[in-house]
């Protein structure tokens, strides 16, 4: 204890006023006390100061219970107003004095009737969450200050049951919306969940007006659940959000159909729909039964002959193409309708230009239609089988009568009729000018007279060879022509006009590129009295042509176009004939060659070279004197020996120069062709003497001694043709004298 100590003779003593206590020394101011009880223990310290009197003081020793539980505010509570009074009794845990418990309002509202009563009543609670705290102060114990909170949730019985709001319709590209769930007041809780749909995101699942994103085309079902605590069982409602596809096709009832009465059922093919879009079939005209009026593909039966109209209506919600419709026509035909027959072809000649058509009759609903396929005309009534046509043009006017009997076995049939209007002025046949070609080209284009349709022309091969590419074309190509003349005929037929059939022919000459160029043959030589010859010109390949002409001389040509013709009455001399070959357009189109027929005179003299001649230097030239030949005989000078330049070897009187000293021998040869004296020759010598030849000198006298009786003479030399001659003037002598003695001959006289 901590009492004040007495002084002097004064004494002190402790006593228990309330509670319990055991003093170790009740008279000691600082005694130890034990046995204190939990709660408030009031102890008194009294000092007896004798005659001075008594004094005392109280002290309280508060003993807190260490076993006191921590604060526990009790379980959360829920009430529903006004179904029950707006109050609750708290359930805080009990406290052991001197611990103190206290209720305080943390949030919300409420009146605490006894803040220190664990089981106090609280009134005036607010709808919602009201949080109260129970705090226990347990003095110096380890859990001296503990607290706990309790939530009193007050639900409003006036909160309506869950309502998810009206169904919604949206259109892409929108993929989100705002919900319209029923309003809730806290602490009631509303929760959105996805019942159907993929990829959907609920932005605020507990908000009645949450945004929903990620909506897919189709139906998304959302559930709005409201939990109002103790007021009622949880409620829920669903809402459908229909997202329509902006790309959903507009209504298309499909292609019109044509059926034959024999067919008893068909299928309608409306445009596909993307849910939640819907489609509906309805009968507009005629009759019909749909197996499923809302299916795009539905079976159809019960239709009637004629035109049946059905409408396909597509409802695509709030999209731009929200309501669209389309109608399909189902036409049912009668299978007994006749097939098309346009009637017989007709022919007219100008100036006629009108006709009446004769098409087959129709059974409804089959339709017929005249169309002009080519030509010109005005059709009075294109749907009338027996309509008139006027303004027919010259040519082939072809009309088609088309009968449409739908899908029956004779559904679409066509027949054509031609009305041929011939031109009275169509030209008569003209096959065109003759043509010339050269191999390897064996093709050409014809040039027949033009045709005014419907007049027709026809090429035919009359002779020769050739392939006609288009026998009816005036300008047809012709191939595979043969070398020679190929004759074609052009026949023109002009129908009922006054000049109905005319013809004309044309020749195509194909020349041979290999036809030889002109060759007049080898020159010929003949001798009188023969004055005829046979020519030998190069052969020709028809249509090439050769022609002989007399260029010079004389002669009569028996057949100028015969390569081997005879010619007569030839003149002595050279008779020149020319062979001309015309090979059309070929590269060797016109070639010529000449041949000479030499007629030699059988009386022409043999060669005579003339008398020998002697010259003396310095003269080294002379004139020869051969006999003149009769042309075509020819003479020719040649040097046989010696030396000399012949001025003109063919001139009988040719000059010769540069003769050599000595004997120069020339031969005159006359060629008289094939005559008996065909080749004759004669020679002439030209002796050229040397002006410097020494005069005669017999040499020095000689003396001999018998019996030696021979010697060699020493006469002066001679230059041929000069000659020396020894003779015996006196005495006797014998000598071997050569034909031309030499200076050394043993002759006595020189």
């Amino acid at each position: 204890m901590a009492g004040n100590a007495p002084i002097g003779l004064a004494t002190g003593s402790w006593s228990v006023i309330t509670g319990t206590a055991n003093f170790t020394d009740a008279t000691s101011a600082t005694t130890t006390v034990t046995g204190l009880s939990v709660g408030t223990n009031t102890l008194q310290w009294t000092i007896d100061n004798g005659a001075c009197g008594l004094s005392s003081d109280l002290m309280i020793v508060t003993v807190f219970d260490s076993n006191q539980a921590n604060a526990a505010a009790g379980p959360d509570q829920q009430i529903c107003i006004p179904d029950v009074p707006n109050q609750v009794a708290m359930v805080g845990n009990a406290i052991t004095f001197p611990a103190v418990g206290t209720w305080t309002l943390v949030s919300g509202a409420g009146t605490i009737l006894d803040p220190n009563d664990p089981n106090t009543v609280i009134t005036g609670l607010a709808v919602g969450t009201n949080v109260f705290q129970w705090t226990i102060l347990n003095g110096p114990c380890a859990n001296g200050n503990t607290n706990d909170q309790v939530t009193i949730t007050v639900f409003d019985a006036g909160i309506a049951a869950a309502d998810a709001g009206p169904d919604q319709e949206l259109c892409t590209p929108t993929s989100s919306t705002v919900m319209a769930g029923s309003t809730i007041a806290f602490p009631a809780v509303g929760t959105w969940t996805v019942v159907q749909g993929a990829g959907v995101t609920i932005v605020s699942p507990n908000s009645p007006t949450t945004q929903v994103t990620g909506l897919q085309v189709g139906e998304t079902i959302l559930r709005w659940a409201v939990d109002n605590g103790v007021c009622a069982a949880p409620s829920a409602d669903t809402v459908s959000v229909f997202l329509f596809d902006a790309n959903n096709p507009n209504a298309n009832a499909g292609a019109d159909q044509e059926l034959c009465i024999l067919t008893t059922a068909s299928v309608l093919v409306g445009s596909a729909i993307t849910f939640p879009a819907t489609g509906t079939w309805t009968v507009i005209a005629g009759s019909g039964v749909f197996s499923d009026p809302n299916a795009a593909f539905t079976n159809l039966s019960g239709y009637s002959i004629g035109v049946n109209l059905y409408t396909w209506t597509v409802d695509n919600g709030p999209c731009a193409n929200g309501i669209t419709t389309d109608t399909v026509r189902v036409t049912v035909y009668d299978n007994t309708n006749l097939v098309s027959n346009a009637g017989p072809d007709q022919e007219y000649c100008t100036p006629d230009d009108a006709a009446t058509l004769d098409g087959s009759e129709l059974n409804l609903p089959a339709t017929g239609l005249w169309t002009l396929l080519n030509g010109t005309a005005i059709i009075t009534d294109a749907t009338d089988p027996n309509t008139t046509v006027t303004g027919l043009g010259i040519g082939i006017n072809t009309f088609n009568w088309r009968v449409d009997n739908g899908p029956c076995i004779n559904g679409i049939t066509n027949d054509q009729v031609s009305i041929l209007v011939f031109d009275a002025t169509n030209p008569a046949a003209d096959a065109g000018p003759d043509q010339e070609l050269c191999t390897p080209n064996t093709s050409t284009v014809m040039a027949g007279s033009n045709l005014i349709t419907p007049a027709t022309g026809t090429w035919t091969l009359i002779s020769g060879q050739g392939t006609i590419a288009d026998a009816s074309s005036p300008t047809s190509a012709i191939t595979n022509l043969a070398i020679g003349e190929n004759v074609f005929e052009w026949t023109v037929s002009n129908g009922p006009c006054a000049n109905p059939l005319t013809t004309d022919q044309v020749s195509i000459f194909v020349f041979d590129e290999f036809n030889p160029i002109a060759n007049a043959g080898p020159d010929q030589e003949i001798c009188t009295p023969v004055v005829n010859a046979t020519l030998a010109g190069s052969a020709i390949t028809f249509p090439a042509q050769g022609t002989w002409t007399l260029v010079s001389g004389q002669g009569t040509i028996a057949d100028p176009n015969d390569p081997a013709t005879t010619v007569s009455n030839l003149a002595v001399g050279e008779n020149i004939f020319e062979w001309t070959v015309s090979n059309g357009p070929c590269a060797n189109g016109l070639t010529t060659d000449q041949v000479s027929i030499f007629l030699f005179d059988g009386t022409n003299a043999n060669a005579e070279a003339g008398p020998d001649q002697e010259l003396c230097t310095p003269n080294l030239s002379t004139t020869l004197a051969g006999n003149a030949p009769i042309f075509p005989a020819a003479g020719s000078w040649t040097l046989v020996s010696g030396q000399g330049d012949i001025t003109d070897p063919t001139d009988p009187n040719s000059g010769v120069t540069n003769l050599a000293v000595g004997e120069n021998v020339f031969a005159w040869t006359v060629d008289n062709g094939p005559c008996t004296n065909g080749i004759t020759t004669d020679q002439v010598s030209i002796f050229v003497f040397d002006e410097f030849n020494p005069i005669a000198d017999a040499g020095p006298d000689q003396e001999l001694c018998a019996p030696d009786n021979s010697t060699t003479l020493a006469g002066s030399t001679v230059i041929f043709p000069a000659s020396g001659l020894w003779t015996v003037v006196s005495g006797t002598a014998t000598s071997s004298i050569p034909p031309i003695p030499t200076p050394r001959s043993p002759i006595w006289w020189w």
Side-chain angles (χ1 to χ4, degrees):
M1 301 299 287
N4 56 330
I7 299 172
L9 295 177
T11 61
S13 64
W14 288 101
S15 61
V16 177
I17 302 300
T18 60
T20 61
N22 295 315
F23 301 105
T24 302
D25 181 359
T27 62
S28 172
T30 57
T31 187
T32 299
V33 63
T34 62
L36 294 168
S37 61
V38 173
T40 300
N41 297 276
T42 304
L43 302 179
Q44 180 174 275
W45 176 241
T46 302
I47 294 178
D48 183 358
N49 197 21
C52 291
L54 291 174
S55 62
S56 64
D57 188 32
L58 297 176
M59 71 165 297
I60 296 174
V61 179
T62 302
V63 178
F64 290 85
D65 188 352
S66 62
N67 294 317
Q68 170 68 48
N70 292 344
D76 292 340
Q77 299 183 49
Q78 296 179 349
I79 63 171
C80 179
I81 59 171
D83 293 348
V84 296
N86 188 5
Q87 65 180 34
V88 293
M90 306 304 285
V91 190
N93 61 324
I95 56 175
T96 301
F97 184 80
V100 178
T102 304
W103 288 105
T104 55
L105 177 63
V106 176
S107 63
T111 301
I112 304 170
L113 299 185
D114 184 355
N116 301 116
D117 182 359
N119 303 115
T120 186
V121 172
I122 299 177
T123 63
L125 295 164
V127 173
T129 301
N130 302 277
V131 179
F132 296 90
Q133 181 169 286
W134 176 238
T135 302
I136 295 178
L137 298 178
N138 197 27
C141 291
N143 58 347
N145 188 342
T146 61
N147 59 71
D148 187 33
Q149 293 182 354
V150 64
T151 298
I152 308 300
T153 304
V154 180
F155 293 88
D156 186 353
I159 296 297
D163 181 356
D167 291 343
Q168 299 185 41
E169 293 185 349
L170 307 174
C171 185
T172 59
T174 298
S175 61
S176 63
T177 189
V178 175
M179 305 309 293
S182 53
T183 302
I184 56 173
F186 185 78
V189 176
T191 303
W192 287 105
T193 55
V194 178
V195 177
Q196 174 181 305
V200 178
T201 299
I202 302 172
V203 177
S204 300
N206 301 117
S207 171
T209 56
T210 183
Q211 184 182 32
V212 177
T213 62
L215 294 167
Q216 305 296 314
V217 171
E219 181 182 11
T220 299
I221 300 176
L222 301 170
R223 182 174 182 272
W224 176 237
V226 174
D227 183 356
N228 199 22
V230 295
C231 286
S235 60
D237 188 31
T238 58
V239 62
S240 291
V241 180
F242 297 97
L243 180 57
F244 291 81
D245 188 352
N247 296 316
N248 187 74
N250 290 346
N252 185 337
D256 291 342
Q257 299 184 38
E258 295 182 344
L259 307 175
C260 190
I261 191 61
L262 299 178
T263 303
T264 58
S266 183
V267 176
L268 295 179
V269 185
S271 53
I273 53 176
T274 303
F275 182 79
T278 59
T280 305
W281 289 104
T282 53
V283 178
I284 302 300
S287 61
V289 176
F290 311 106
S291 61
D292 183 351
N294 300 115
F297 299 87
T298 186
N299 292 323
L300 173 67
S301 60
Y303 39 75
S304 56
I305 291 176
V307 176
N308 302 274
L309 300 178
Y310 308 101
T311 294
W312 175 239
T313 301
V314 174
D315 181 353
N316 198 30
C319 293
N321 60 346
I323 301 292
T324 57
T325 63
D326 189 39
T327 300
V328 63
R329 176 189 297 264
V330 178
T331 305
V332 182
Y333 290 82
D334 187 347
N335 67 321
T336 64
N337 189 70
L338 298 175
V339 297
S340 172
N341 185 340
D345 291 343
Q346 303 177 43
E347 291 186 354
Y348 298 90
C349 186
T350 57
D352 292 340
D353 67 347
T356 299
L357 300 178
D358 188 19
S360 53
E361 296 299 323
L362 302 170
N363 293 333
L364 294 177
T367 59
L369 181 66
W370 285 108
T371 53
L372 179 66
L373 298 184
N374 60 273
T376 57
I378 299 172
I379 303 172
T380 304
D381 182 354
T383 61
D384 181 3
N386 305 113
T387 185
T388 57
V389 289
T390 59
L392 291 165
I394 293 172
I396 301 174
N397 302 282
T398 304
F399 300 87
N400 186 76
W401 178 235
R402 180 181 187 274
V403 174
D404 183 353
N405 196 33
C408 291
I409 193 168
N410 59 348
I412 300 291
T413 56
N414 290 276
D415 192 36
Q416 295 176 3
V417 63
S418 293
I419 299 184
L420 287 70
V421 180
F422 292 83
D423 189 344
T425 65
N426 186 73
D430 180 356
D434 291 344
Q435 299 184 41
E436 293 184 350
L437 307 175
C438 182
T439 60
N441 182 16
T442 58
S443 302
T444 189
V445 175
M446 306 304 280
S449 53
N450 289 331
L451 301 169
I452 302 175
T453 305
T456 59
T458 304
W459 287 106
T460 52
L461 177 65
I462 302 301
S463 63
Q465 174 183 299
T467 301
I468 303 169
D470 183 355
S472 62
S473 170
T475 55
S476 173
I478 306 291
T479 59
N480 197 31
L481 291 163
I483 293 174
E485 181 179 13
N486 304 279
V487 180
F488 296 87
E489 184 172 80
W490 177 237
T491 300
V492 174
S493 174
N494 199 30
C497 294
N499 57 341
L501 197 68
T502 56
T503 62
D504 188 36
Q505 293 183 353
V506 63
S507 292
I508 309 296
F509 296 97
V510 179
F511 291 81
D512 186 353
E513 64 176 323
F514 298 111
N515 185 76
I517 62 174
N519 185 339
D523 292 343
Q524 300 184 42
E525 296 180 348
I526 58 177
C527 186
T528 60
V530 177
V531 292
N532 300 328
T534 298
L535 299 178
S538 52
I540 55 175
T541 303
F542 182 77
Q545 185 176 26
T547 304
W548 287 107
T549 54
L550 177 64
V551 177
S552 62
Q554 175 182 301
T556 300
I557 303 170
D559 183 354
N561 300 117
D562 181 2
T565 186
T566 58
V567 289
S568 58
N569 196 29
L570 294 165
V572 172
E574 182 179 12
N575 303 280
I576 300 176
F577 296 88
E578 185 171 78
W579 178 235
T580 300
V581 174
S582 175
N583 199 30
C586 294
N588 58 350
L590 191 67
T591 57
T592 62
D593 190 35
Q594 293 181 354
V595 63
S596 293
I597 308 295
F598 296 96
L599 180 57
F600 291 82
D601 189 345
T603 64
N604 185 71
N606 292 342
E608 175 59 55
D612 291 342
Q613 300 181 44
E614 291 185 352
L615 305 176
C616 184
T617 60
N619 183 15
L620 299 177
S621 301
T622 189
T623 300
L624 299 174
N627 63 327
I630 301 171
F631 184 78
S636 176
W637 288 108
T638 55
L639 177 64
V640 177
S641 62
Q643 175 181 303
D645 295 329
I646 303 169
T647 303
D648 182 356
T650 62
D651 183 0
N653 305 117
S654 173
V656 288
T657 60
N658 196 30
L659 293 164
V661 171
E663 183 181 11
N664 302 281
V665 180
F666 295 88
W668 175 239
T669 301
V670 174
D671 183 354
N672 199 28
C675 293
T676 303
N677 60 344
I679 295 180
T680 58
T681 301
D682 188 35
Q683 294 182 353
V684 63
S685 292
I686 309 297
F687 295 98
V688 179
F689 291 84
D690 188 348
E691 63 179 318
F692 298 109
N693 188 75
I695 62 176
D697 182 356
D701 292 339
Q702 297 183 39
E703 294 179 351
L704 302 175
C705 181
D708 186 4
N709 62 352
S710 63
T711 189
T712 299
L713 300 177
S716 57
T717 61
V718 294
I719 300 173
F720 184 80
S723 62
L725 179 64
W726 289 103
T727 58
V728 178
V729 177
S730 64
T732 60
T734 302
S735 176
S736 297
I737 302 174
I740 302 177
T742 67
R744 296 297 179 182
S745 298
I747 299 174
W748 299 339
W749 177 270
W750 183 241

